[in-house]
Amino acid sequence: MGIETKSGQGASASFTALVDYPFTIAGWFRVSGDNVITPLVSLENTTAGVYYDIFYAGQSSDRPIARTRSGGSSLAIAGAAMNPDQWHHVVGVFASANSRAVYLDGGNKGTNSSSHSFTAPTELVIGNYFHAGATDVAEAMIFDAALSDEEVAALASGLPVWSLPVARNLTAYYEFLSETRRPGLGPELSTSGTPTFVDHPKLLRAGSSGVALAPARQRGPFFKPAGEFHTLSSEVGSVAHAGVASISQTQLAAEVIS
């Protein structure tokens, strides 16, 4: 399903789940195309000055990068660029001290073999904390395992993480999907109109309820005033338009399982 979480300043939380390599950072992202570095997800130990992250290099190549910063920075750069205002799947695999890789949309793999000893991260930051531009985030995940090429490709194709054996290695999962956009929980729709479908990152299972970290700039499913439903469109990654709500004339998106 199309999901939108806009973050002008990243949301952070304490994080102590990782004790060593390997680990993987993954998620769906849509960047605005600003000519700047745009953080996507970062595991940080600010006291030690160590960071493991994936980001969009908008100031240079427009490519996603997996980076280790410990003293100096070591970069794994994807083999293709991200298109601004389009959803992309980005994965950073930190397999060992001297092995890191980045993937864009299930392929376009870039690698780096510079050596950095492990320092346990203490914070998880999701979204763009670097500048005022917005970043859309869906299904941000942390695994305490190195995903294989095949597992990365499966996630990028829309296969739900819960159907993969590596799901047992999930240490953090933030779907960023509001209750009003879960199948069966949103408002009823009339039968008027013809459904139309748009490109979207597929979320085939709504995860269990839990705490989601809402970025400072709340939009989309994070912004849920009582009694208000949101008009959705392809611009915000909606799935389908299927008429209007019987309680109002606000056009709504029909949530469907693909």
Side-chain angles (χ1 to χ4, degrees):
M1 296 176 186
I3 310 164
E4 179 192 35
T5 67
K6 299 236 178 176
S7 49
Q9 297 178 357
S12 64
S14 59
F15 191 86
T16 58
L18 298 178
V19 296
D20 203 349
Y21 296 109
F23 58 91
T24 298
I25 303 171
W28 289 94
F29 306 94
R30 183 169 60 182
V31 296
S32 63
D34 295 333
N35 189 32
V36 290
I37 292 175
T38 303
L40 303 176
V41 177
S42 179
L43 289 163
E44 307 179 354
N45 186 320
T46 55
T47 300
V50 175
Y51 304 81
Y52 310 98
D53 61 358
I54 53 177
F55 68 93
Y56 165 71
Q59 88 293 3
S60 56
S61 63
D62 295 337
R63 299 187 182 190
I65 291 175
R67 169 176 58 179
T68 300
R69 286 189 289 165
S70 178
S73 292
S74 297
L75 311 177
I77 304 173
M82 296 175 67
N83 295 316
D85 301 317
Q86 294 184 18
W87 283 101
H88 289 281
H89 192 255
V90 180
V91 176
V93 177
F94 300 80
S96 67
N98 60 357
S99 176
R100 62 196 54 81
V102 66
Y103 300 79
L104 175 65
D105 296 330
N108 303 295
K109 184 179 181 181
T111 62
N112 175 271
S113 60
S114 299
S115 184
H116 293 271
S117 59
F118 181 81
T119 299
T122 57
E123 292 183 50
L124 168 63
V125 180
I126 299 174
N128 172 25
Y129 58 89
F130 192 70
H131 62 89
T135 301
D136 298 341
V137 182
E139 287 199 290
M141 309 177 192
I142 307 294
F143 300 84
D144 62 356
L147 268 63
S148 66
D149 293 352
E150 293 77 13
E151 289 167 332
V152 170
L155 288 176
S157 72
L159 195 69
V161 65
W162 313 105
S163 68
L164 299 176
V166 77
R168 67 172 64 96
N169 295 103
L170 271 175
T171 61
Y173 176 77
Y174 299 94
E175 63 179 4
F176 298 127
L177 181 64
S178 75
E179 291 183 0
T180 59
R181 297 180 70 180
R182 293 179 188 273
L185 295 182
E188 293 184 3
L189 303 179
S190 73
T191 57
S192 63
T194 301
T196 57
F197 294 84
V198 297
D199 189 26
H200 61 285
K202 296 178 181 177
L203 176 63
L204 304 185
R205 178 186 183 278
S208 59
S209 60
V211 177
L213 300 178
R217 292 181 61 185
Q218 298 184 3
R219 297 290 190 276
F222 278 156
F223 187 55
K224 298 184 296 182
E228 179 178 342
F229 301 107
H230 301 281
T231 300
L232 303 178
S233 67
S234 59
E235 189 277 328
V236 295
S238 65
V239 177
H241 287 293
V244 297
S246 58
I247 58 173
S248 74
Q249 292 301 306
T250 302
Q251 192 172 31
L252 299 169
E255 299 296 357
V256 297
I257 301 296
S258 300

